[in-house]
Amino acid sequence: MPQTLHAPTHSEIVIKKSRFIGCVQPMADRAAAQAVVEALRREHPGAAHVCWALLAGGQSAAVDDGEPGGTAGRPMLEVLRHQDLEGVLATVVRYFGGVKLGAGGLVRAYTDSVAQALLHADKVPLERMAVLRCQVPYAFEGLVRREVEAAGAVLQQVEHGSLVTLQVQLAESRAEAFRQRIGDAAQGRAGWLRA
């Protein structure tokens, strides 16, 4: 089962006077990843390179940022793939120390930076999410809200009309049991709509 990260973790290694500052963190998409990379460029104006790799479904990327082609971004991406991660951004900021590392040395350095950060990362299973829309009479709104909280679900939206419509997001694996609980608790007066 694919996993993601609970929170960002960092590493720092020095190889032949070059300093490599690695970070792995949860990341939803390429736009958010690019914003993080731009912030790193501003935070480290003296860095020679800010290389990154994103594994996020169809928005994955591998960027060498001026290092020889295939020596930074792609190896970083392979570390993420090898760990069966999804929705994760790996960044490595390199301060050049004056000694060239060669293609093999660069691959090892960028791979090690990401691997070191992942050693301390708290990994969590990545679950598919389901969005459910439920309509109930006003008398059952509080009950549904309590069930949402008990299920560890997220109440995304509530609309008040002739009935109360609640939109809920929760793990797909718990969706059917949640529907059953609501149906039983609302005495068959809960209606389900397409989300």
Side-chain angles (χ1 to χ4, degrees), residues 27-170:
M27 192 65 49
D29 56 39
R30 190 180 294 215
Q34 288 172 320
V36 168
V37 170
E38 289 309 312
L40 281 173
R41 288 185 206 287
R42 288 191 299 277
E43 188 180 327
H44 298 277
H49 307 280
V50 179
C51 302
W52 58 282
L54 173 68
L55 197 54
Q59 297 191 39
S60 296
V63 178
D64 293 323
D65 190 41
E67 292 283 28
T71 61
R74 179 74 50 202
M76 292 164 63
L77 189 65
E78 288 307 314
V79 172
L80 298 178
R81 281 194 179 119
H82 181 73
Q83 300 260 341
D84 199 19
L85 295 170
E86 179 64 33
V88 175
L89 170 67
T91 56
V92 177
V93 175
R94 179 186 183 194
Y95 284 91
F96 183 60
V99 178
K100 292 189 182 251
L101 302 180
L106 287 172
V107 169
R108 279 188 300 280
Y110 283 101
T111 299
D112 288 351
S113 293
V114 174
Q116 289 292 322
L118 284 170
L119 283 177
H120 308 291
D122 185 13
K123 297 174 186 166
V124 292
L126 193 62
E127 291 191 79
R128 272 188 141 59
M129 300 304 280
V131 176
L132 306 175
R133 286 177 54 90
C134 174
Q135 276 190 331
V136 293
Y138 278 80
F140 293 105
E141 179 180 1
L143 176 138
V144 173
R145 285 178 180 267
R146 286 188 296 279
E147 288 293 335
V148 166
E149 192 173 321
V154 176
L155 183 59
Q156 293 182 316
Q157 187 178 349
V158 179
E159 298 168 9
H160 294 92
S162 59
L163 295 170
V164 181
T165 304
L166 301 102
Q167 183 168 303
V168 178
Q169 181 183 38
L170 74 163

Side-chain angles (χ1 to χ4, degrees), residues 14-37:
V14 177
I15 300 171
K16 294 185 181 176
K17 299 183 184 178
S18 280
R19 183 172 160 217
F20 295 85
I21 304 166
C23 179
V24 289
Q25 60 192 304
M27 192 65 49
D29 56 39
R30 190 180 294 215
Q34 288 172 320
V36 168
V37 170

